[in-house]
Amino acid sequence: QKEVEQDPGPLSVPEGAIVSLNCTYSNSAFQYFMWYRQYSRKGPELLMYTYSSGNKEDGRFTAQVDKSSKYISLFIRDSQPSDSATYLCAMGDSGGYQKVTFGIGTKLQVIP
Amino acid sequence: DADVTQTPRNRITKTGKRIMLECSQTKGHDRMYWYRQDPGLGLRLIYYSFDVKDINKGEISDGYSVSRQAQAKFSLSLESAIPNQTALYFCATSDLRGPGANVLTFGAGSRLTVL
């Protein structure tokens, strides 16, 4: 079993839809939870960063972390064609190496 | 200029050739990483470095070597390239410790094709 599981999609939604992207994980040591966005032929860029459980909102984006269920989500409201990209979840611990583990990424297409 | 610069951006080479991918950063970060990304496999860590004197193997280091020439420079070498090393390679950086150690800044990627 992988430490981080993420459905690769692809996920196609109409413009304006609410998008829900999710990851599950198995390592209880993870305390830092990130979402990266990767456009085609580009490097991943940090989108959201959350420490421990709870919600964090930034504009149209909301990140949720439920450590009891080992489940994290990214919600995109009023999705736009410019949101079409691959979204990677990532998780880190606070150990000596502070390893970051990435999900495989979910490819999202927002159709105008 | 980009915070993390990778060269070359694209490279086509033949089996058995030696290839070097270079990475430089202006973030002032201590940690540097090399990942490869393959369809269906995601990002896999090849090597990482905490400083010039500290280099560590990642998940898939066989067939690769690295050199940390300075705090800002980290290069990846394929001594004898093989076709299954065809992939998109990313350099990344982060802080040494604390929450920032989990926040990676990536370069734009180097697409390598081995024929």
Side-chain angles (χ1 to χ4, degrees):
Chain A
Q1 182 188 6
K2 293 182 180 178
E3 277 191 301
V4 178
E5 298 279 0
Q6 182 177 13
D7 187 335
L11 178 63
S12 293
V13 301
E15 183 176 353
I18 296 174
V19 176
S20 173
L21 304 169
N22 311 293
C23 288
T24 59
Y25 63 95
S26 57
N27 189 344
S28 299
F30 290 143
Q31 297 187 53
Y32 302 92
F33 303 91
M34 288 72 69
W35 286 94
Y36 286 81
R37 178 175 60 195
Q38 184 177 16
Y39 291 114
S40 181
R41 297 185 176 85
K42 303 286 187 182
E45 57 179 348
L46 183 69
L47 188 60
M48 298 286 282
Y49 174 88
T50 309
Y51 172 71
S52 195
S53 286
N55 295 356
K56 185 174 184 178
E57 187 173 321
D58 184 0
R60 297 184 294 110
F61 298 89
T62 299
Q64 286 187 351
V65 175
D66 181 349
K67 291 186 70 178
S68 63
S69 300
K70 296 188 176 67
Y71 188 88
I72 71 169
S73 301
L74 177 70
F75 296 96
I76 307 174
R77 292 183 299 281
D78 187 24
S79 56
Q80 301 295 309
S82 59
D83 295 327
S84 297
T86 296
Y87 291 81
L88 297 91
C89 62
M91 305 176 190
D93 59 32
S94 58
Y97 163 41
Q98 288 183 276
K99 174 187 173 185
V100 175
T101 303
F102 287 85
I104 199 171
T106 300
K107 186 171 185 178
L108 171 68
Q109 183 178 18
V110 181
I111 302 168
Chain B
D1 288 345
D3 292 326
V4 181
T5 302
Q6 292 183 231
T7 55
R9 292 292 315 280
N10 290 284
R11 181 72 183 269
I12 299 174
T13 190
K14 295 182 178 180
T15 298
K17 294 292 187 180
R18 184 178 188 273
I19 295 297
M20 179 181 285
L21 305 179
E22 298 184 329
C23 176
S24 63
Q25 54 119 342
T26 58
K27 296 285 290 184
H29 285 160
D30 288 305
R31 294 191 184 202
M32 296 189 75
Y33 310 80
W34 275 104
Y35 287 88
R36 66 177 279 176
Q37 188 176 44
D38 299 273
L41 296 177
L43 285 166
R44 291 183 292 168
L45 183 62
I46 306 172
Y47 271 95
Y48 61 100
S49 171
F50 288 177
D51 64 34
V52 174
K53 296 180 181 179
D54 188 340
I55 293 177
N56 304 277
K57 292 182 177 180
E59 307 168 56
I60 54 163
S61 59
D62 288 348
Y64 301 95
S65 62
V66 291
S67 174
R68 184 85 183 262
Q69 299 95 328
Q71 189 217 27
K73 296 184 182 295
F74 193 36
S75 61
L76 176 71
S77 293
L78 288 69
E79 296 301 326
S80 180
I82 56 176
N84 76 0
Q85 291 178 313
T86 293
L88 185 56
Y89 290 84
F90 287 104
C91 175
T93 71
S94 74
D95 285 335
L96 182 61
R97 293 184 185 85
N102 295 289
V103 179
L104 274 61
T105 300
F106 285 85
S110 295
R111 184 168 295 279
L112 176 65
T113 302
V114 183
L115 302 177

